[in-house]
Amino acid sequence: MAKEKKVEQITDMETDFAQWYTDICRKAELVEYASVKGFTILRPYGFAIWENMQQIMDGEFKKTGHVNVAMPVLIPESLLKKEGELVNGFAPEVAWVTMGGSEPLEERLAFRPTSETMFCDHWSRVLHSYRELPMLYNQWCSVIRWEKTTRPFLRSREFWWQEGHTIHETAEEAQAETEQQLNCYADFFENVLAIPVVRGRKTDKEKFAGAEATYTVECLMKDHKALQGATSHYFGDKFSRAYDVTFTGRDNKLQYPFQTSWGSTTRMIGAVIMAHGDNNGLVLPPKIAPIQVIVVPIAAHKPGVSEKAQELLDQIKALGIRAQADFSDNSMGWKCAQYEMKGVPVRLELGPRDIENNVCVAVRRDNGEKVQVSLEELEIAIPALLDAVQQGLYDAAKKNLEEHIYAAKSIEEAKQLQAEHGGFIKTMWCGDEACELKMKEEGGMSSRCIPFRQEQLSEVCACCGKPAKHMIYWGVAY
Ligand SMILES: [Zn+2]
């Protein structure tokens, strides 16, 4: 019997959000599980989304003077251990290489869980003078963290990311870099991924192992759970001291440079799925969609239809739009379902009657709206439609975020609001880790960030009643 490929139904998000998510990952052909447990394969369509993200982000990094490098994938144990906090933070997740061929290694080698140590080791050899600073490096690579439970894009033992690492002459410059890169991520989330974010600082409990300060962009998914989008860290000169990275300063004395690192991962694809997807599948913001427009001829066997559809495709591609046409003999119903599943932002349908009228029918993926477009006006109409989809997605995600931030005055109230509505719960906080732990244990929420935009909700901490230092956001996070 012939194997006919069907567009399979996915679980409704209202029925089972987790299953809906997994269904999209697989049925939109983004990822597939690999034979090695906890690892996933990025399939061509998933990788194409990642490539589009990379290209835009890499361009932004380069605008501010960053350059790409490639560091080794393995780190000697002795090197990893030089900075105590970092190694303790990552120890439970490190995978080790102990054999080289059939010989046991003299020193075991860690698969990089992150590369601060490798960068510091390198800088300790190549840095001499203040004249060489800053060094603004980034690398695109994969890292390995031996996670116990895994989910496509959100948590897997290997994931793809970029890690920026920089060293600077002064603390002020390094702090400015940390902030600049956080803003770069925030802009990327909002303008490219169409996901609004809350910018803020992580608490000491939640910050990166070894960092002086960690800044984050936090976003909210359609199930009202929080997701950490990307982080930017300020290290002071702590790592420089641990790895003996020095330079001769303007005063002719040896000094330690100040350091930052910042990272974003393929987890952003998970964020896009959960921020924009619906019960028909993936919904992609046009800026990262591998196919921005799909042309679907109707009654393609009738004279002139295929030719006109090809002509339409060529015109759209000439505008610099990523477009494809489907001339296969699959049914119209199958094609519509397939490209909806894959989240293609705009579908153009063209049949004999449309050709007679010199129009095509455009269908928006984000809201299903159908409009007739004159074939004479493609040049203006199609880019405008893509912009409208991009904006429509952002507006909907922004509404979801704004409608799901609740203020609470006690752990009990916070817990109740979370159970009823999800979202971010904001409270005042004294700054003590004990209260943070209490919110986790009694309220079931972790701290997401101390937003830069502070509000004075009351005078006292919602957990202990002592004088409050900050307003903080709590949430149930991925
Ligand atoms: Zn407190």
Side-chain angles (χ1 to χ4, degrees):
M1 210 178 92
K3 271 170 90 175
E4 173 143 17
K5 212 174 155 195
K6 287 183 181 153
V7 178
E8 297 163 83
Q9 284 291 309
I10 57 170
T11 309
D12 278 359
M13 59 164 73
E14 294 80 6
T15 308
D16 184 345
F17 196 83
Q19 190 58 47
W20 165 83
Y21 175 81
T22 311
D23 285 354
I24 289 188
C25 285
R26 307 213 34 208
K27 290 175 184 168
E29 299 178 345
L30 303 176
V31 291
E32 194 50 71
Y33 296 110
S35 303
V36 48
K37 205 177 163 226
F39 286 67
T40 47
I41 293 160
L42 272 184
R43 300 187 68 186
Y45 196 64
F47 200 80
I49 296 172
W50 180 234
E51 279 181 314
N52 288 335
M53 288 180 173
Q54 273 187 313
Q55 201 185 3
I56 296 170
M57 204 180 253
D58 199 63
E60 291 303 312
F61 295 163
K62 283 175 178 157
K63 276 184 197 165
T64 41
H66 300 90
V67 289
N68 287 329
V69 296
M71 290 285 164
V73 68
L74 298 176
I75 305 169
E77 183 169 19
S78 54
L79 194 62
L80 196 64
K81 280 189 164 165
K82 273 190 182 176
E83 208 295 312
E85 260 188 79
L86 182 87
V87 74
N88 290 339
F90 282 97
E93 298 171 7
V94 173
W96 296 96
V97 175
T98 56
M99 300 282 287
S102 55
E103 301 291 317
L105 298 177
E106 275 178 28
E107 180 182 16
R108 55 180 189 160
L109 303 170
F111 270 104
R112 63 180 163 213
T114 179
S115 303
E116 278 74 12
T117 54
M118 207 38 113
F119 276 88
C120 284
D121 183 51
H122 172 61
W123 283 324
S124 75
R125 295 162 210 269
V126 300
L127 176 65
H128 304 101
S129 157
Y130 71 88
R131 294 182 195 90
E132 295 157 332
L133 291 171
M135 288 186 176
L136 307 173
Y137 291 176
N138 176 63
Q139 76 171 343
W140 293 95
C141 62
S142 71
V143 290
I144 290 187
R145 295 180 190 174
W146 218 256
E147 303 275 4
K148 291 202 175 67
T149 53
T150 60
R151 292 187 71 190
F153 298 118
L154 301 176
R155 216 165 280 285
S156 53
R157 289 185 172 169
E158 179 185 25
F159 59 85
W160 288 265
W161 76 343
Q162 58 71 218
E163 47 178 324
H165 296 268
T166 68
I167 42 174
H168 306 258
E169 192 180 347
T170 66
E172 293 70 31
E173 278 176 44
Q175 278 157 350
E177 166 83 11
T178 314
E179 194 184 317
Q180 172 188 282
Q181 293 314 108
L182 187 81
N183 288 332
C184 180
Y185 288 140
D187 290 346
F188 183 81
F189 267 82
E190 298 195 332
N191 301 330
V192 178
L193 305 183
I195 302 175
V197 296
V198 177
R199 302 171 207 215
R201 184 165 61 81
K202 286 282 183 191
T203 61
D204 283 348
K205 181 178 174 290
E206 297 287 332
K207 75 183 181 186
F208 184 84
E212 250 182 47
T214 290
Y215 302 94
T216 178
V217 289
E218 296 284 324
C219 31
L220 203 63
M221 304 292 97
K222 276 194 170 172
D223 62 347
H224 310 135
K225 279 195 196 168
L227 184 138
Q228 177 180 298
T231 46
S232 183
H233 318 289
Y234 172 65
F235 291 114
D237 60 2
K238 195 167 164 209
F239 278 73
S240 298
R241 287 177 186 276
Y243 287 85
D244 202 26
V245 183
T246 56
F247 66 96
T248 307
R250 290 168 201 271
D251 56 2
N252 217 28
K253 284 184 187 146
L254 271 189
Q255 299 180 13
Y256 295 103
F258 295 84
Q259 191 178 347
T260 83
S261 82
W262 27 277
S264 63
T265 79
T266 37
R267 167 175 254 253
M268 292 190 289
I269 299 175
V272 166
I273 298 170
M274 292 193 288
H276 303 310
D278 63 21
N279 286 336
N280 293 326
L282 188 62
V283 180
L284 289 175
K287 287 187 183 172
I288 56 158
I291 307 166
Q292 296 171 307
V293 172
I294 183 75
V295 175
V296 183
I298 300 169
H301 58 282
K302 294 201 173 162
V305 174
S306 281
E307 290 78 359
K308 195 72 186 172
Q310 182 64 49
E311 201 180 300
L312 176 60
L313 175 66
D314 293 342
Q315 280 175 291
I316 292 164
K317 282 165 97 171
L319 300 171
I321 290 167
R322 296 185 287 272
Q324 284 182 16
D326 188 339
F327 294 107
S328 73
D329 60 0
N330 285 304
S331 70
M332 191 64 191
W334 184 91
K335 289 181 189 180
C336 290
Q338 171 73 355
Y339 296 107
E340 280 178 6
M341 176 65 70
K342 292 202 147 195
V344 176
V346 171
R347 181 174 78 237
L348 293 182
E349 300 174 356
L350 182 79
R353 196 171 301 161
D354 302 313
I355 296 171
E356 258 171 50
N357 297 328
N358 205 33
V359 295
C360 62
V361 174
V363 186
R364 279 174 63 163
R365 176 65 182 91
D366 63 324
N367 61 11
E369 208 175 274
K370 281 188 176 192
V371 283
Q372 238 182 28
V373 176
S374 159
L375 295 181
E376 306 298 325
E377 289 166 4
L378 293 172
E379 208 170 313
I380 292 163
I382 302 302
L385 261 174
L386 290 172
D387 287 346
V389 174
Q390 182 82 29
Q391 188 65 42
L393 289 176
Y394 179 79
D395 292 344
K398 178 109 177 148
K399 187 166 180 278
N400 182 49
L401 171 65
E402 283 173 352
E403 288 178 354
H404 291 91
I405 301 175
Y406 304 92
K409 288 197 169 67
S410 66
I411 292 184
E412 198 45 49
E413 192 188 0
K415 188 180 172 183
Q416 199 181 335
L417 283 165
Q418 179 60 243
E420 271 174 39
H421 310 285
F424 289 119
I425 313 296
K426 55 183 180 183
T427 74
M428 297 310 286
W429 177 50
C430 63
D432 285 351
E433 197 168 310
C435 288
E436 206 178 342
L437 289 167
K438 208 170 158 197
M439 182 62 93
K440 181 80 196 170
E441 276 160 29
E442 293 174 21
M445 284 175 277
S446 56
S447 73
R448 304 317 309 151
C449 71
I450 302 162
F452 293 148
R453 242 179 248 157
Q454 284 285 302
E455 296 166 57
Q456 186 71 38
L457 304 172
S458 82
E459 302 294 321
V460 294
C461 173
C463 308
C464 68
K466 283 187 218 151
K469 280 188 188 149
H470 317 280
M471 178 196 68
I472 188 166
Y473 273 26
W474 310 93
V476 176
Y478 278 99

